[in-house]
Amino acid sequence: MNISDLSKQIEVIYEESLKVFKAASSSKNLYDLKVEFLGKKGKLSLLMGLMSKLPNQDKPKFGSLINVKKKLLEEAYTEYKTKLDLIDLNKKLDQEYLDMSLPGKEIETGALHPIQKVSENIVNIFSRLGFSVRTGNLIEKDYYNFEALNIPKDHPSRDMQDTFYIDDNHVLRTHTSPIQIHTLETEKAPLRIIGLGSVFRSDSDISHSPNFYQIEGLLVEKKVSMANLKGTVSFFVKEFFGKELKTRFRPSFFPFTEPSAEVDCQCSSCMGSGCSLCGQTGWIEIGGCGLVNPKVLKLSNVNKDTENNETDWQAYAFGFGIERMAILKYGIKSIRFFNQNDIRFLSQFK
Amino acid sequence: MKISFNWLSEYIDLDNFKSNSNELGKKLTDVGLEVEGIEDQKKAWENVVVAKIITKKAHPNADRLSLCQVKVGAETLQIVCGAKNHKEGDWVVAALPGANLPGDFLIKKSKLRGELSCGMLCSEEELGLNKTMDGILILQKEDLKKEESLQEGKNWSDYKNLSDSIFDINITPNRTDCLSHFGIARELSCVLDKTLKKDFPAKTISDKFSAFPIKIEKSNLNLGYSGCVVKNVKIKESPKWLKQRLASVGVKSINNVVDVTNFVMWELGQPMHAFDLQKVNKEINIRKAKKGESLVTLDNKNIEFKGGELIIANESSPIALAGIIGGLDSGVNKDTQDIFIESAYFSPSDIRKTAKVFGIQTDSSDRFSKGSDSSILLQALNRACELIKDLAQAEVEKDIFYHKPPQINNEKINITQKFLEDKLGYSVNMKDFDKWIKALGCQLKVSSSESREVVAPIFRKDLCQPVDLLEEYARLNGYDKIPEVLPSFTGGPGKHNDYYLQNTRLANLCKNAGLLQAINYHFTNSIFQKEFLEFDLLHKTKDLKKYSTYMGGDPVSVLNPLSGDLNVMRLSLLPGLFQNLIHNYNHNQKLGNLFELGTVFNKQENNYNEQNFLSLISWGNKETLWDKSKSPLVFELKGRVESLLKSLNISFKWKVIKDLNLCPDFLHPKRSLALQIRGKLVGYLGDLHPMLLQKHKIRLNVSLAEFNTDLFNLAPTICDSNILTGKYPSVTRDLSVLCLKTLLSEDINQLIKKVAGKDCISCRVFDIYEPKDKEKLSITFRLVVQNSEKTYSEEDLQLLQANIFKNLSDKLGVEIPSS
Ligand SMILES: [Zn+2]
């Protein structure tokens, strides 16, 4: 056996190997062929075993010859494998075809009731001014709902609020103002609070619900003015509607505030030029407010009399109807929708 | 309250506003007399004109109709008419296209049986008048003669002198002085800086009223009473001007005397009453009614007195309910000859109480109960006497009865410029202050350049504190002068209360879990609530104890509900949510998830409890392309609740309800669970009882849950770092067992966890398989274990598994499939 014979054999195996690699039908097939030719017990390795029979001076030449071919074959293998892998991958991708126009799996999206959404919205605005939320009972003592707010028994101002009675001494609160009284009694001035919750009036028609929601604010300080009140309400209006809307006060009467005002804001739909939403007036009534009547501050022992001493606490209060704010913000057409809980309505308030 | 522009003009010059009543309305609103609407009578009768019938022919296609050529000004129009009472040459009223008759009846050009009709000839009723003739209104000759400038096409409002604007003013309870035309004029004289055109002299007091005795019971001395006798009254129809005045404020004309009493009330705010002197019968007693006495009122209702109500009585019996309504018998009628006119002041709270007891509200009771002007009695009496003298050709007797009302003078108010400026937040001009305060009728004393001493007139009882004067200054100066300044604050930061924080958090968690938030009324229908919560197969009546035991008491009723649908405070949120479900189901929403956070109410002895609940309701099976899951709906709800509780970091336990007596009636007895937190029952979850579904014809699965969130015990979040530091990997093993269907999977699960001990990371039901022919169920649990000191080997697992199986079989009789 001499080197030229072996070289020829190498050449034969190399050529054969290249041919079958090229003809391989899949990367699995190619891998098997690689094992057959290049594996530990492969054809090329078998030739390697013959090296011992060569004269010593030929061994290095043979070794390098075989290594060169092996390397070339491995390169060829990699080349074909890459091609075959690509074919396989494309086949697999084809098989994995999906009609991507099909709908996605439905993940239910919940929604907050518009009353909840608007309440949180309003609270967040007043939080920025330092106000914090208080809540209270819905069945309230006559005293807290009326008398402490300067609405004595048999007084005409009781007629302003049609009242549901539970017994002689308990009512369903007609406003959130009892929250103010409880806070005045239990917490120390100065104070900035927001009272929030459900209220009741025995009045029901297309624009009145017997059970609705209110939000109100109370600030107790040494110096509180109508200008402060207007500043606060005007800030709120701009933040809530996200527009530079003007705020207007109109004289009014509430037994628990003096002076009292109704609050109008510029109609956000027509920006004040007049439209059907605002009845062509350019203004929309959103709530009431005023400086807290000295009689109320005395009744809840914040001040010891109503003499307007320099050191006395003063206060302002304001209140809004939440449904009204929701109607204005979202364009809700009827108060009927608020308590029907139709899921087609509710699911709009994400 | 209705206020007529023309009437108002009698007392104050309003020429500037004649063609611009809106401007006057704005002025009134700006000072706190809110104008809620202005009815322009001229506008209301646009395109309604006086017309003359030129020709009248039969309609070619309809026997009952006639074709009229009607002259309505320069032109003549054809109008089809269905009436029979008109003839050629008649003067009639035609509503032309564009007219809008009372009752929102819009007139259009139209074709009637093929013939063009350019409007309508009006009947009295169509014009909002009382019916005196059949068919259309034919204007009478004597009417026509009076109208010198009558011509075809003259507007109906001009013909009838209807060129008034009626203001609808919302008078706040503090401004009782504005409940009359004179009162509004007085306010306007201050606002517009104009003097009043008229004043009202008082009747001269005499002390020898001798017509008959008038006795006032000693206990009723807080009233004022005046009156006088008018003789030989000629009761007849009121003149046109008076009828028109009353009509403009919506008061029906009765006869000249009654109309005068009403007129004076609407003019001066003082309610008046006229008695037939014959029925007064020798004596007037102002006293409390005795039990058993009765009175038939003017509106023909019989009132039985309970005793103690303030009445006007003659010698023997009641003739009027003081300040509220007169008696039918003692009223003025066509045969009345002599009358007694009353002008009185009654204590507001007396009138309020009595009016409330009998449920009678009149213009008179309204004014007295709000507090009438006690200083105007004699002016009103004089005005009424003068008018009656004039209109009924009567003789007014000179002597009057007068019991002076308790005229409590208003107290002195001290006020300073600094006070005004501090509270208003802008600088104040004291000259303006002085001018307005005087114009309001107050007495003003300038104590120094900055301080004032003010006494308000008797008709302004609402001005009693410095802040009241502050408001007068602010509103007359204009609320638009108030600047906008954010307040400063000397206190520290605040914190929202716990209820608000928890409620907001819960609402947002539920929203993120895919639920829609519902809000229902806090009151509901007592029968619906009872039949839902206390659903009873045997229809036995029982109380709500079972469910309310867990709630804590009995239902709370509303004393004066609006309707039976809202007559009791809710014990639970579920009846409301179920009603929402019914609404949605009936609107073809066959799938949905709602939650509600709200207060429920109950009563224990005399305490009212309010608790905050979270309730959920799910209905319908999801059958979308990717979700055809056949898992029972109730487990979806259970999953939602579990994820919610986990989000809140609450550790909780479910308890299968085995004792039927502990299961709320509305739940499916075989599909219900109780939730425990720290060993305390906080609520239920389950399927709705199938009989309730059947009753309301709901053909869907419904699952629901309700929890008392006041008992939720929110734990703080603490990070467990050990979970990350374990060196050795966790391994998973599925364990299948065969067991009786009655065995609870949770019991098996607990035992597996117990045996696996501290190495157990988790164990949960992974699969359930029900072999067709067997009574037993195959359940697979997926157990994850991890040891802190070594990697779990297969041998370790085998050992653990054997141990688990042995325990399960020994303690629970569970079979281990041989496989
Ligand atoms: Zn607008």
Side-chain angles (χ1 to χ4, degrees):
Chain A
M1 194 154 296
N2 63 37
I3 187 155
S4 70
D5 286 348
L6 284 177
S7 297
K8 265 182 202 150
Q9 279 191 38
I10 291 172
E11 205 54 43
V12 169
I13 291 172
Y14 173 72
E15 289 300 332
E16 188 195 348
S17 171
L18 269 185
K19 208 168 119 193
V20 296
F21 276 15
K22 197 175 178 178
S25 60
S26 69
S27 63
K28 168 84 174 73
N29 178 220
L30 181 65
Y31 181 77
D32 291 344
L33 292 170
K34 184 189 168 194
V35 172
E36 189 184 336
F37 287 90
L38 297 171
K40 272 183 189 167
K41 292 173 184 170
K43 289 183 177 169
L44 220 50
S45 305
L46 287 178
L47 277 186
M48 200 66 159
L50 298 179
M51 190 158 75
S52 55
K53 293 180 181 164
L54 280 177
N56 278 344
Q57 77 273 19
D58 285 345
K59 280 180 183 169
K61 196 181 169 190
F62 179 73
S64 79
L65 192 65
I66 236 172
N67 279 338
V68 166
K69 290 296 177 195
K70 202 173 176 178
K71 203 174 165 221
L72 282 173
L73 280 176
E74 268 165 1
E75 280 168 8
Y77 169 80
T78 309
E79 187 193 329
Y80 294 131
K81 184 176 186 307
T82 309
K83 277 183 191 160
L84 285 171
D85 279 353
L86 197 62
I87 290 165
D88 285 355
L89 179 65
N90 283 333
K91 213 181 276 167
K92 183 171 145 64
L93 292 178
D94 282 346
Q95 282 164 0
E96 285 174 359
Y97 165 82
L98 283 181
D99 173 3
M100 288 307 288
S101 71
L102 288 172
K105 177 171 168 158
E106 279 174 41
I107 307 294
E108 289 150 324
T109 46
L112 293 178
H113 194 284
I115 290 173
Q116 175 90 22
K117 248 180 113 69
V118 165
S119 305
E120 285 181 26
N121 196 202
I122 298 176
V123 167
N124 289 342
I125 293 168
F126 285 110
S127 293
R128 288 168 52 204
L129 294 178
F131 287 79
S132 53
V133 173
R134 299 291 179 275
T135 56
N137 282 348
L138 281 72
I139 295 178
E140 190 54 88
K141 284 204 172 81
D142 188 281
Y143 174 80
Y144 285 101
N145 194 72
F146 291 123
E147 284 175 52
L149 288 152
N150 191 34
I151 313 173
K153 280 210 164 80
D154 286 317
H155 195 268
S157 46
R158 284 218 179 181
D159 296 344
M160 291 173 88
Q161 302 177 355
D162 300 318
T163 311
F164 285 116
Y165 286 87
I166 294 298
D167 62 33
D168 285 347
N169 199 24
H170 288 87
V171 302
L172 292 177
R173 69 177 181 200
T174 57
H175 43 198
T176 39
S177 308
I179 298 172
Q180 294 185 17
I181 304 301
H182 288 291
T183 309
L184 289 173
E185 283 186 357
T186 54
E187 298 182 38
K188 282 210 170 86
L191 280 170
R192 286 176 296 194
I193 59 139
I194 289 292
L196 172 71
S198 199
V199 301
F200 304 82
R201 304 269 172 98
S202 57
D203 184 8
S204 181
D205 59 37
I206 47 164
S207 55
H208 294 92
S209 153
N211 184 192
F212 56 101
Y213 287 75
Q214 272 189 349
I215 193 156
E216 58 182 52
L218 170 74
L219 178 134
V220 185
E221 251 299 344
K222 285 292 175 194
K223 269 198 171 175
V224 179
S225 69
M226 286 297 277
N228 294 152
L229 180 53
K230 207 171 179 182
T232 308
V233 172
S234 157
F235 170 81
F236 163 72
V237 164
K238 285 179 194 139
E239 293 296 309
F240 182 77
F241 292 105
K243 289 181 190 172
E244 279 295 313
L245 297 178
K246 289 198 185 84
T247 299
R248 175 174 87 171
F249 277 11
R250 272 183 295 113
S252 188
F253 169 76
F254 308 110
F256 33 90
T257 52
E258 190 73 34
S260 304
E262 305 250 23
V263 182
D264 294 343
C265 77
Q266 214 175 17
C267 174
S268 63
S269 158
C270 63
M271 297 304 283
S273 60
C275 68
S276 60
L277 182 72
C278 56
Q280 308 305 327
T281 62
W283 294 94
I284 288 192
E285 188 178 327
I286 55 168
C289 64
L291 297 184
V292 176
N293 195 317
K295 290 176 188 168
V296 173
L297 294 176
K298 191 203 164 234
L299 278 168
S300 45
N301 287 321
V302 174
N303 293 328
K304 60 180 192 304
D305 54 40
T306 57
E307 297 297 310
N308 298 298
N309 304 308
E310 275 293 300
T311 53
D312 277 352
W313 293 104
Q314 306 180 352
Y316 73 46
F318 55 82
F320 308 108
I322 293 184
E323 280 87 346
R324 179 118 184 101
M325 302 309 287
I327 283 169
L328 294 175
K329 188 157 180 131
Y330 302 122
I332 297 167
K333 287 278 185 288
S334 163
I335 60 157
R336 203 162 40 96
F337 297 144
F338 286 106
N339 299 98
Q340 223 168 34
N341 297 314
D342 190 304
I343 60 178
R344 294 166 298 179
F345 171 75
L346 294 175
S347 54
Q348 297 177 46
F349 302 94
K350 302 293 184 199
Chain B
M1 189 188 56
K2 285 186 169 175
I3 290 290
S4 144
F5 181 92
N6 290 353
W7 194 342
L8 207 53
S9 308
E10 281 190 27
Y11 316 114
I12 186 163
D13 170 19
L14 295 176
D15 286 352
N16 293 345
F17 302 101
K18 198 137 200 172
S19 57
N20 196 353
S21 51
N22 283 333
E23 191 56 35
L24 183 63
K26 196 180 166 301
K27 288 243 187 268
L28 288 166
T29 298
D30 283 349
V31 293
L33 301 172
E34 188 189 357
V35 174
E36 292 182 323
I38 304 175
E39 183 202 325
D40 186 340
Q41 293 192 328
K42 204 153 196 150
K43 228 176 199 161
W45 295 107
E46 247 168 11
N47 295 316
V48 181
V49 298
V50 172
K52 193 174 183 180
I53 300 176
I54 307 297
T55 62
K56 178 188 171 189
K57 280 186 223 153
H59 191 291
N61 309 319
D63 296 344
R64 301 171 128 205
L65 301 178
S66 59
L67 285 185
C68 300
Q69 297 299 323
V70 180
K71 194 154 190 282
V72 293
E75 52 179 347
T76 302
L77 299 173
Q78 171 170 297
I79 293 177
V80 178
C81 184
K84 293 197 157 49
N85 64 329
H86 56 298
K87 56 183 191 299
E88 286 176 8
D90 274 348
W91 286 86
V92 294
V93 181
L96 304 181
N100 195 356
L101 296 178
D104 217 12
F105 180 18
L106 199 68
I107 304 298
K108 288 181 209 146
K109 204 182 257 194
S110 62
K111 267 194 174 167
L112 287 170
R113 296 286 189 99
E115 288 292 337
L116 185 69
S117 183
C118 298
M120 184 181 85
L121 302 182
C122 304
S123 70
E124 286 168 302
E125 280 163 309
E126 281 156 346
L127 292 167
L129 302 170
N130 294 332
K131 190 175 172 182
T132 62
M133 60 182 89
D134 286 330
I136 58 170
L137 172 63
I138 312 289
L139 300 175
Q140 301 301 308
K141 284 208 180 89
E142 58 266 35
D143 278 346
L144 298 171
K145 268 179 214 156
K146 277 186 223 157
E147 304 294 333
E148 289 157 11
S149 60
L150 181 71
Q151 60 197 47
E152 304 93 344
K154 189 180 175 102
N155 193 287
W156 173 243
S157 62
D158 290 337
Y159 174 77
K160 288 286 275 184
N161 243 331
L162 291 175
S163 60
D164 202 356
S165 292
I166 310 299
F167 294 83
D168 188 4
I169 307 183
N170 174 18
I171 307 284
T172 52
N174 57 327
R175 294 306 303 271
T176 52
D177 61 301
C178 287
L179 290 170
S180 67
H181 284 80
F182 183 70
I184 300 279
R186 187 167 52 196
E187 177 76 5
L188 279 173
S189 82
C190 176
V191 174
L192 304 174
D193 198 11
K194 279 186 177 169
T195 47
L196 288 166
K197 288 198 223 166
K198 227 183 203 156
D199 64 346
F200 294 89
K203 189 113 176 106
T204 323
I205 302 172
S206 64
D207 50 10
K208 44 176 184 177
F209 182 77
S210 54
F212 54 86
I214 295 180
K215 296 174 191 163
I216 302 174
E217 215 172 50
K218 278 219 175 78
S219 56
N220 299 316
L221 292 176
N222 60 345
L223 54 76
Y225 202 81
S226 74
C228 76
V229 170
V230 181
K231 291 209 156 160
N232 292 322
V233 291
K234 313 270 176 305
I235 304 296
K236 54 184 174 186
E237 210 181 319
S238 289
K240 199 170 156 190
W241 71 263
L242 180 53
K243 279 188 181 174
Q244 208 157 49
R245 285 280 177 265
L246 293 179
S248 70
V249 294
V251 174
K252 222 173 92 186
S253 171
I254 311 254
N255 59 45
N256 52 355
V257 171
V258 174
D259 286 0
V260 164
T261 60
N262 281 328
F263 176 81
V264 172
M265 175 172 68
W266 283 88
E267 179 176 58
L268 295 175
Q270 172 63 40
M272 310 289 293
H273 190 70
F275 294 98
D276 187 325
L277 195 60
Q278 212 179 354
K279 301 291 164 49
V280 167
N281 195 15
K282 291 182 205 138
E283 182 169 316
I284 276 186
N285 283 302
I286 302 158
R287 60 168 169 90
K288 295 278 162 71
K290 295 174 197 129
K291 194 175 159 68
E293 284 186 310
S294 67
L295 173 74
V296 178
T297 58
L298 271 173
D299 54 353
N300 218 351
K301 279 184 195 137
N302 190 45
I303 287 181
E304 301 276 343
F305 293 106
K306 294 191 180 86
E309 301 91 346
L310 189 66
I311 56 163
I312 312 295
N314 60 18
E315 205 179 21
S316 54
S317 50
I319 54 172
L321 189 54
I324 300 173
I325 193 164
L328 184 64
D329 189 47
S330 63
V332 174
N333 59 53
K334 62 180 179 10
D335 302 322
T336 301
Q337 289 187 341
D338 305 331
I339 56 172
F340 175 71
I341 301 180
E342 167 201 282
S343 174
Y345 170 83
F346 298 110
S347 124
S349 64
D350 279 355
I351 303 298
R352 273 182 73 76
K353 271 184 228 158
T354 314
K356 216 164 146 190
V357 166
F358 294 116
I360 306 173
Q361 203 193 355
T362 60
D363 285 336
S364 166
S365 73
D366 202 39
R367 284 170 173 79
F368 280 131
S369 64
K370 284 176 176 157
S372 61
D373 176 3
S374 60
S375 62
I376 205 171
L377 265 48
L378 297 178
Q379 282 156 280
L381 185 63
N382 187 55
R383 176 72 166 153
C385 289
E386 292 298 311
L387 283 168
I388 290 173
K389 188 172 113 186
D390 227 33
L391 302 180
Q393 292 78 45
E395 299 142 28
V396 179
E397 300 226 324
K398 235 180 98 193
D399 294 339
I400 66 160
F401 176 85
Y402 185 49
H403 171 77
K404 202 171 183 286
Q407 290 196 3
I408 302 145
N409 282 323
N410 285 320
E411 276 185 44
K412 227 182 275 167
I413 308 168
N414 289 305
I415 190 163
T416 65
Q417 183 170 3
K418 182 172 186 307
F419 174 83
L420 289 167
E421 292 182 339
D422 281 355
K423 290 228 165 191
L424 286 173
Y426 63 84
S427 57
V428 164
N429 181 342
M430 289 309 276
K431 268 190 195 144
D432 287 343
F433 178 84
D434 294 348
K435 182 182 83 186
W436 286 320
I437 290 300
K438 273 191 265 180
L440 287 169
C442 299
Q443 291 166 35
L444 176 88
K445 200 172 129 195
V446 178
S447 326
S448 74
S449 64
E450 284 115 37
S451 42
R452 301 287 183 273
E453 205 178 278
V454 178
V455 180
I458 285 177
F459 60 82
R460 289 300 304 271
K461 281 261 179 283
D462 59 312
L463 303 182
C464 53
Q465 301 187 89
V467 279
D468 299 326
L469 298 180
L470 170 89
E471 183 176 59
E472 295 305 291
Y473 175 85
R475 73 185 179 88
L476 291 168
N477 192 37
Y479 270 19
D480 55 333
K481 306 283 189 328
I482 301 168
E484 295 175 3
V485 184
L486 281 174
S488 53
F489 192 68
T490 57
K495 180 179 176 289
H496 298 323
N497 76 354
D498 290 344
Y499 167 74
Y500 174 77
L501 291 174
Q502 174 167 316
N503 200 63
T504 310
R505 190 161 164 215
L506 284 171
N508 283 283
L509 282 172
C510 289
K511 177 206 156 197
N512 295 340
L515 299 151
L516 303 176
Q517 186 181 18
I519 293 185
N520 284 293
Y521 288 157
H522 288 79
F523 31 44
T524 183
N525 180 316
S526 59
I527 297 167
F528 186 86
Q529 167 162 288
K530 202 170 158 135
E531 288 181 355
F532 180 91
L533 293 180
E534 184 200 354
F535 174 71
D536 184 353
L537 279 175
L538 298 171
H539 304 291
K540 277 186 293 186
T541 36
K542 50 177 187 173
D543 53 25
L544 283 166
K545 279 279 152 43
K546 196 195 279 183
Y547 196 60
S548 59
T549 307
Y550 134 74
M551 305 290 191
D554 299 323
V556 179
S557 302
V558 180
L559 276 186
N560 55 333
L562 275 181
S563 75
D565 280 341
L566 307 169
N567 61 355
V568 68
M569 304 309 288
R570 60 188 180 189
L571 277 169
S572 155
L573 306 180
L574 291 173
L577 285 175
F578 184 55
Q579 271 170 331
N580 300 153
L581 181 157
I582 295 172
H583 166 90
N584 280 294
Y585 182 80
N586 291 338
H587 286 82
N588 206 27
Q589 302 298 312
K590 304 284 152 102
L591 180 82
N593 301 293
L594 290 175
F595 76 98
E596 180 164 11
L597 282 157
T599 308
V600 300
F601 305 79
N602 61 61
K603 186 167 70 176
Q604 269 174 325
E605 283 157 22
N606 281 323
N607 292 320
Y608 302 108
N609 299 320
E610 296 184 18
Q611 291 165 309
N612 299 298
F613 276 25
L614 163 64
S615 302
L616 308 99
I617 193 162
S618 296
W619 67 95
N621 281 326
K622 220 194 284 179
E623 279 184 353
T624 64
L625 177 61
W626 310 118
D627 291 286
K628 293 200 171 69
S629 121
K630 291 280 178 283
S631 72
L633 181 67
V634 71
F635 289 112
E636 265 193 46
L637 185 65
K638 189 182 176 190
R640 284 183 207 276
V641 169
E642 285 175 345
S643 95
L644 185 74
L645 293 169
K646 281 177 196 159
S647 303
L648 289 166
N649 220 4
I650 292 173
S651 61
F652 61 91
K653 221 181 235 170
W654 293 109
K655 283 276 172 189
V656 175
I657 306 172
K658 288 173 187 154
D659 180 355
L660 273 189
N661 286 318
L662 297 177
C663 178
D665 288 356
F666 55 86
L667 287 180
H668 189 307
K670 302 293 173 186
R671 293 183 171 191
S672 50
L673 275 176
L675 182 79
Q676 285 188 343
I677 293 176
R678 295 193 175 178
K680 213 167 178 178
L681 176 67
V682 299
Y684 296 98
L685 178 146
D687 268 350
L688 191 66
H689 198 291
M691 290 301 283
L692 273 171
L693 293 178
Q694 199 186 323
K695 186 172 164 191
H696 293 277
K697 301 192 177 65
I698 307 278
R699 281 178 288 275
L700 283 176
N701 283 328
V702 176
S703 299
L704 33 76
E706 177 154 275
F707 309 105
N708 181 343
T709 59
D710 293 338
L711 301 175
F712 279 8
N713 233 314
L714 272 55
T717 301
I718 291 164
C719 175
D720 179 5
S721 305
N722 292 335
I723 284 178
L724 304 171
T725 52
K727 262 186 257 166
Y728 303 97
S730 61
V731 285
T732 302
R733 192 72 160 193
D734 290 348
L735 308 168
S736 290
V737 299
L738 268 174
C739 65
L740 288 172
K741 284 177 187 170
T742 49
L743 197 61
L744 294 179
S745 59
E746 184 58 17
D747 290 347
I748 305 174
N749 196 351
Q750 289 301 331
L751 189 55
I752 297 174
K753 281 182 176 173
K754 198 175 150 194
V755 177
K758 66 175 175 33
D759 284 0
C760 177
I761 301 292
S762 70
C763 180
R764 61 190 172 90
V765 176
F766 177 65
D767 192 26
I768 295 179
Y769 168 66
E770 205 169 335
K772 266 182 197 150
D773 47 347
K774 288 197 179 171
E775 302 148 17
K776 294 198 172 180
L777 205 61
S778 159
I779 308 179
T780 306
F781 294 87
R782 177 158 287 182
L783 171 69
V784 181
V785 286
Q786 183 179 29
N787 191 290
S788 56
E789 266 134 45
K790 56 172 188 169
T791 305
Y792 252 93
S793 65
E794 180 56 29
E795 292 81 56
D796 295 333
L797 276 174
Q798 293 281 3
L799 217 62
L800 176 62
Q801 183 173 322
N803 193 9
I804 288 170
F805 282 157
K806 184 172 187 311
N807 269 281
L808 292 181
S809 120
D810 288 356
K811 292 182 180 153
L812 298 172
V814 166
E815 238 178 89
I816 314 304
S818 43
S819 71

